[in-house]
Amino acid sequence: MKDNRYFHTAVEYYRNARHILKETPIELGAFYQSRKNVQKAAGLCFLALDNAVKGYLVKKGLDEKNLPETWDGLKFTLLKHFSHNGRFRKELEIAYRLVHLSLYYRGETRVILVKEGFDKAKTIIENLSKAKV
C-alpha cells in the first residue's frame, strides 16, 4: 500500500531527527550547542510531518499525483478530510510554527522549544497513521 511508504518514511525521518538531537550537546541545561544540528533535525522532523500528512491523504483515497505541493495546501486538504476537532488544528499549527519556523528557519536552540515541537510532531504523526478512513 502506498500510504505505508509515507508513514514508514515519516517514522524514519523522525527517528533520524531525534538521533541528531541526542548526539548534540546541551549547554547550561537549556540550549543545544549546535544550531546547525538543531536545524538539520528540525528539517527532518518537518519532512516527517509532511510525509505523515501525505500518507493519511493517500490512505483516504486521494491520488498521489494530485497531492498539494505546498504545506498550506496539504494542511487545508488534511483538515478538510481528517475528522478532527479544533484542538487538532491548533496542535498542527503549533507543531509547524515550532519545528519549521522557529527551529529550522530562525535557528532557535532552546531545549524546551525543541522538545515541545518534536512532541507535538510525534503525536500528529501517530494520530494520522492510526486514523481510520
Side-chain angles (χ1 to χ4, degrees), residues 8-114:
H8 175 75
T9 301
V11 169
E12 184 180 344
Y13 281 161
Y14 186 82
R15 283 184 186 149
N16 289 343
R18 294 298 297 191
H19 179 74
I20 290 168
L21 291 176
K22 186 177 178 182
E23 299 296 315
T24 305
I26 296 172
E27 69 184 29
L28 303 173
F31 297 93
Y32 283 96
Q33 286 182 354
S34 172
R35 174 174 281 143
K36 178 182 170 184
N37 283 358
V38 171
Q39 287 176 307
K40 190 185 309 183
L44 285 171
C45 186
F46 177 71
L47 288 174
L49 275 172
D50 185 78
N51 273 276
V53 169
K54 288 176 181 173
Y56 176 80
L57 293 174
V58 169
K59 183 167 69 169
K60 189 75 172 170
L62 273 72
D63 187 345
E64 239 179 312
K65 296 173 187 169
N66 296 328
L67 291 174
E69 294 183 15
T70 66
W71 175 252
D72 286 336
L74 281 172
K75 182 176 71 170
F76 175 79
T77 306
L78 171 66
L79 294 174
K80 190 167 90 175
H81 291 280
F82 183 67
S83 176
H84 65 85
N85 56 27
R87 182 181 174 126
F88 179 83
R89 176 187 300 267
K90 289 176 187 171
E91 296 290 319
L92 185 64
E93 187 62 27
I94 290 169
Y96 170 76
R97 287 180 184 220
L98 284 172
V99 172
H100 195 59
L101 299 178
S102 294
L103 304 178
Y104 180 75
Y105 275 118
R106 295 186 188 121
E108 179 64 61
T109 61
R110 282 183 278 177
V111 172
I112 194 165
L113 294 179
V114 173

